[in-house]
Amino acid sequence: MPEPSAGGSLSAVPGVGTIAALPRGGAVAVWQGTAASLSMMLGGLGVGWMASGSSLIRVPFFIALRDNPVLVVVCTVLVAFGGLLLVRAWLRLEQRVGDWSAVRPAVLFRIAALWCAPLMVTFPLFSRDVYAYIGQGRLMMAGLDPYVNGISALNNYHNLGPDSLWTEAPTPYGPLFLWIEQGVVWLSGGNLEIAIVLFRVVAAVGIALCAVAVVGLGRHYGLDPSRTLWLTVVNPLFVINFIASIHNDGLMLGLLLVGLLAAVRGRHVVAVVLVTLSIGIKPITLIALPFIGLIWAGRNAGWGRKIACWAATAGISGGLLAAVGAATGFWFGWLPAMTTSGTVWIWYAPFGLLAATAGAVVQIFSGPADVVSEAVKTVGRVVGIVAAAWFVLRGSSDKIMLRMALAFTAIVVTAAMIQPWYVTWLMAFFALVGVTDGWRLRAYYLVTVFFTVIALTDQLDVFEWIPIVIVRAVAIALSVAFAAYIMLWDWKTRVLFGPGAAMGRVTASR
């Protein structure tokens, strides 16, 4: 497929330009994914997160939907079924298309829009972090420092619907996102539903930035842009975590990827500014700055030039962050908030499981369980930082995208808590390194299925008098069963998870 120039129009590329014209019935998979999103949207009306201060909580329709245990279970089934149906549609889309070079990137933009659109108008699913965003925005409106004050500093903060984790904790987000939170609260006039829609618009902007950057970076690295879009913005984890759950990681990642695109195109100062904006959303993307410096230095650069480019990168970024800190009056308050150790852990995080296990063993012998558990978490953090630094400092100046992907991976996998939306960063980076057929693609499939199941079964909002154990059991049973069906029983998709995964696409016309 002929490639347009960097500034050319996508419409100039020959090939499939509409969903209906997708080869080998790919449109069937697209509409199946749209139906899946609609199913999740409808289910989200009954088990999505609704704050007690919501203007909709006294609407008879929602009272009936949420007060009836049978309807709550039905909504749970719609959400879990829709989430895994979306995964199957995503897998079948690739099987049916087969040759991505015949499909324009604009078609993938439309597919992403179709799959995201229904989820723009339901309650937050699988996470209530958006209510913490609203609370932090109200702290800003009240002139309080979110890096010092938790949401509990607000009157009637329980009505805002945040997780109890946020009631006393300072925000870990950057100063730019504090302004966005304040702006959303101001524009919404205190209406929670309007604020949720506005935050979803912010998330959609993040996905759009990801899409534009993925096309440019994919072409730069010699990858098929349409296939890379399928691996990223059309991936169910992006749709679920950025739109359904409304995590600000979408905007963070979009700004970071656009910054990387500017860097590889030689616009290094612009790249530093964009990555700094990403840091202003979530400071974890500080990890990317040294790699921007390496791209600036160029291939085969000596240590002198590397150090000079690192210094320039740090100077520009630090100056911008200082200016923003001065404007807010909070300066670098996000640094201590970012490094505050948390008590949460998850069983699939290696150091989280090790910390919990070590603490439990020590407690049996009446030892300092908390001290031991925290020590293990600290070791994990140190290992992650050292590994990330090693990927920055190793001698070669090539394979920078791979090294950056590994640096972020080191930080994520050594944390005590690995959230499903953290994985979307890593999947985007590795997609831009190149996910070829074979074990890499199978691993990509497995990660998508696993973390989709984790998301679908993590958090559901039901009234106190409805047994949450039963509701979650339904979600877990259905999600695990559907995932097992996709991987082990469905004759169309199971071939993707076996040794012959590269041949899985031949089933497209069956």
Side-chain angles (χ1 to χ4, degrees), residues 217-241:
L217 288 167
R219 287 181 175 137
H220 176 81
Y221 288 111
L223 305 172
D224 186 285
S226 293
R227 185 173 187 268
T228 311
L229 283 168
W230 169 78
L231 287 167
T232 53
V233 297
V234 181
N235 188 291
L237 288 179
F238 279 68
V239 177
I240 289 172
N241 288 300

Side-chain angles (χ1 to χ4, degrees), residues 307-320:
I307 292 171
C309 290
W310 281 333
T313 300
I316 295 169
S317 183
L320 288 172

Side-chain angles (χ1 to χ4, degrees), residues 30-392:
V30 173
W31 295 115
Q32 185 182 76
T34 306
S37 289
L38 283 167
S39 176
M40 294 175 69
M41 180 271 285
L42 293 173
L45 297 178
V47 293
W49 285 99
M50 177 190 282
S52 59
S54 170
S55 60
L56 301 178
I57 199 165
R58 293 180 178 83
V59 174
F61 171 77
F62 293 110
I63 293 175
L65 195 62
R66 290 171 171 263
D67 194 48
N68 186 314
V70 174
L71 292 180
V72 168
V73 170
V74 169
C75 288
T76 302
V77 169
L78 286 172
V79 167
F81 175 80
L84 270 301
L85 182 63
L86 186 63
V87 172
R88 187 183 184 277
W90 176 72
L91 294 170
R92 289 294 291 155
L93 178 61
E94 210 250 350
Q95 284 184 307
R96 288 181 176 274
V97 169
D99 180 15
W100 284 108
S101 65
V103 180
R104 295 178 185 172
V107 175
L108 278 298
F109 296 168
R110 297 188 185 105
I111 294 172
L114 274 174
W115 290 3
C116 289
L119 296 171
M120 295 288 290
V121 289
T122 193
F123 291 109
L125 281 166
F126 320 123
S127 172
R128 45 178 162 165
D129 280 2
V130 69
Y131 292 116
Y133 303 165
I134 295 170
Q136 289 154 10
R138 291 195 175 187
L139 285 173
M140 292 284 288
M141 293 289 289
L144 298 173
D145 185 348
Y147 297 127
V148 175
N149 299 282
I151 297 171
S152 60
L154 297 168
N155 293 328
N156 300 318
Y157 68 92
H158 287 295
N159 291 336
L160 298 178
D163 191 293
S164 58
L165 175 68
W166 292 106
T167 56
E168 300 294 338
T171 177
Y173 306 131
L176 177 59
F177 195 66
L178 294 184
W179 277 342
I180 292 174
E181 290 173 329
Q182 183 178 7
V184 166
V185 169
W186 179 77
L187 285 172
S188 66
N191 185 287
L192 293 175
E193 283 67 45
I194 294 176
I196 287 170
V197 171
L198 291 175
F199 274 117
R200 278 207 167 105
V201 171
V202 171
V205 169
I207 286 187
L209 290 174
C210 287
V212 171
V214 161
V215 171
L217 288 167
R219 287 181 175 137
H220 176 81
Y221 288 111
L223 305 172
D224 186 285
S226 293
R227 185 173 187 268
T228 311
L229 283 168
W230 169 78
L231 287 167
T232 53
V233 297
V234 181
N235 188 291
L237 288 179
F238 279 68
V239 177
I240 289 172
N241 288 300
F242 295 162
I243 300 299
S245 299
I246 328 180
H247 289 294
N248 59 2
D249 300 62
L251 183 59
M252 176 204 79
L253 182 62
L255 288 168
L256 173 58
L257 293 179
V258 172
L260 289 168
L261 178 60
V264 300
R265 288 180 172 175
R267 302 172 65 188
H268 303 116
V269 174
V270 173
V272 175
V273 172
L274 288 167
V275 173
T276 303
L277 292 176
S278 177
I279 295 167
I281 303 297
K282 292 188 77 169
I284 186 67
T285 48
L286 277 166
I287 300 167
L289 275 182
F291 294 99
I292 296 295
L294 288 174
I295 295 172
W296 193 344
R299 291 175 63 91
N300 304 317
W303 281 105
R305 178 162 176 77
K306 287 180 183 178
I307 292 171
C309 290
W310 281 333
T313 300
I316 295 169
S317 183
L320 288 172
L321 291 171
V324 173
T328 61
F330 304 148
W331 292 98
F332 289 90
W334 49 270
L335 282 175
M338 178 185 176
T339 57
T340 299
S341 176
T343 58
V344 292
W345 64 279
I346 195 72
W347 58 270
Y348 53 79
F351 279 91
L353 180 60
L354 182 60
T357 303
V361 171
V362 170
Q363 191 171 30
I364 293 174
F365 299 97
S366 302
D370 291 342
V371 173
V372 171
S373 180
E374 183 56 34
V376 173
K377 293 178 184 177
T378 301
V379 169
R381 288 192 292 271
V382 170
V383 169
I385 291 170
V386 170
W390 186 80
F391 287 119
V392 171

Side-chain angles (χ1 to χ4, degrees), residues 227 435-445 496 498-503 505:
R227 185 173 187 268
V435 179
T436 55
D437 290 331
W439 71 267
R440 294 178 181 84
L441 188 56
R442 290 200 301 275
Y444 210 90
Y445 293 151
L496 298 173
M503 299 298 293
R505 282 175 247 172

